[in-house]
């Protein structure tokens, strides 16, 4: 029966091939291994898997360092007012991620009322003057406690000099 014009199914198999030094390259070793009547697409996924594992490890290391230092990273996309926080910032602010409406305005709502105007003015001045933002301020927790935090950021600008993204840290 000639099935060469029909696809019976697609599946993925991961298989490690051992390549001797005598083989010219992996391709030669793989060509020797190809079963009859089976089309193949071969991807050398070893380096890709190593890169993914290295990235995963780096992300875990960064998360651990942020937790130990009580330091979080934030990013504000200015055209859309889309604010992203690292997990540590949610911990510092004691906010449930699922109940957070992330924007600059909702961030300001977490700042102690006596510090809000100063924090806002410092950030706006940093945008206008194209200088880094660096301020200490208080957070008013839901139970009435007060936390002091240090915050710093820099802003990226487009070719026309308009702010497009601010990236910063906050430390408890």
């Amino acid at each position: 029966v000639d099935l060469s014009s029909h696809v019976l199914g697609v599946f993925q198999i991961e298989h490690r091939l051992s390549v001797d030094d005598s083989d010219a390259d992996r391709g030669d070793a793989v060509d020797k291994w190809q079963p009859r009547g089976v089309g193949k697409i071969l991807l050398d996924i070893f380096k890709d898997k190593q890169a993914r594992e290295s990235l995963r490890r780096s992300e875990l290391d960064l998360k651990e360092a942020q937790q130990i230092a009580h330091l979080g990273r934030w990013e504000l996309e200015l055209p859309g007012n889309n604010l992203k926080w690292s997990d540590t910032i949610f911990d510092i602010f004691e906010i449930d991620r699922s109940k957070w409406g992330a924007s600059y305005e909702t961030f300001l709502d977490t700042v102690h009322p006596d510090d809000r105007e100063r924090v806002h003015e410092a950030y706006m001045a940093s945008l206008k003057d194209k200088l880094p933002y660096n301020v200490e301020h208080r957070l008013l927790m839901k139970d009435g406690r007060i936390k002091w935090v240090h915050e710093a950021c820099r802003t990226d600008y487009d070719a026309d000099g308009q702010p497009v993204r601010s990236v910063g840290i906050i430390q408890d």
Side-chain angles (χ1 to χ4, degrees):
V1 176
D2 180 17
L3 298 176
S4 62
S5 63
H6 300 286
V7 175
L8 297 177
V10 178
F11 58 94
Q12 177 179 338
I13 297 175
E14 270 186 40
H15 184 75
R16 179 171 283 216
L17 297 174
S18 177
V19 179
D20 293 335
D21 290 338
S22 61
D23 290 318
D25 62 29
R26 276 191 188 165
D28 289 348
V30 169
D31 287 341
K32 293 175 189 173
W33 175 75
Q34 180 178 355
R36 278 187 170 210
V38 175
K40 71 171 168 117
I41 297 175
L42 177 69
L43 301 173
D44 185 354
I45 62 171
F46 180 70
K47 288 182 182 177
D48 183 55
K49 281 187 151 194
Q50 280 184 318
R52 276 190 269 150
E53 176 59 23
S54 178
L55 178 61
R56 186 189 70 75
R57 185 72 223 155
S58 291
E59 288 172 347
L60 288 174
D61 289 349
L62 176 60
K63 190 174 186 176
E64 184 177 52
Q66 286 181 345
Q67 288 171 342
I68 291 168
H70 296 267
L71 179 95
R73 179 189 182 277
W74 59 265
E75 180 176 339
L76 177 62
E77 296 171 4
L78 294 166
N81 193 26
N82 183 22
L83 182 60
K84 298 174 192 165
W85 278 0
S86 68
D87 291 341
T88 308
I89 293 183
F90 285 98
D91 295 341
I92 292 169
F93 282 65
E94 299 176 14
I95 292 176
D96 181 350
R97 170 176 283 224
S98 66
K99 297 177 183 171
W100 170 248
S103 71
Y104 178 70
E105 290 75 21
T106 53
F107 155 71
L108 279 178
D109 288 343
T110 65
V111 175
H112 191 284
D114 294 341
D115 293 350
R116 281 184 195 143
E117 186 175 339
R118 181 175 57 82
V119 169
H120 176 67
E121 287 176 2
Y123 179 64
M124 291 295 116
S126 79
L127 294 178
K128 178 180 165 264
D129 300 334
K130 296 183 170 84
L131 294 172
Y133 164 83
N134 203 330
V135 67
E136 287 189 6
H137 62 85
R138 295 170 290 177
L139 302 176
L140 181 59
M141 313 290 27
K142 290 181 182 183
D143 63 2
R145 287 177 299 116
I146 293 175
K147 280 188 180 183
W148 281 92
V149 295
H150 174 254
E151 190 170 357
C153 91
R154 69 168 173 77
T155 300
D156 298 329
Y157 298 84
D158 65 16
D160 296 324
Q162 296 300 309
V164 293
R165 179 181 83 123
S166 292
V167 179
I169 59 98
I170 191 160
Q171 186 170 22
D172 183 3

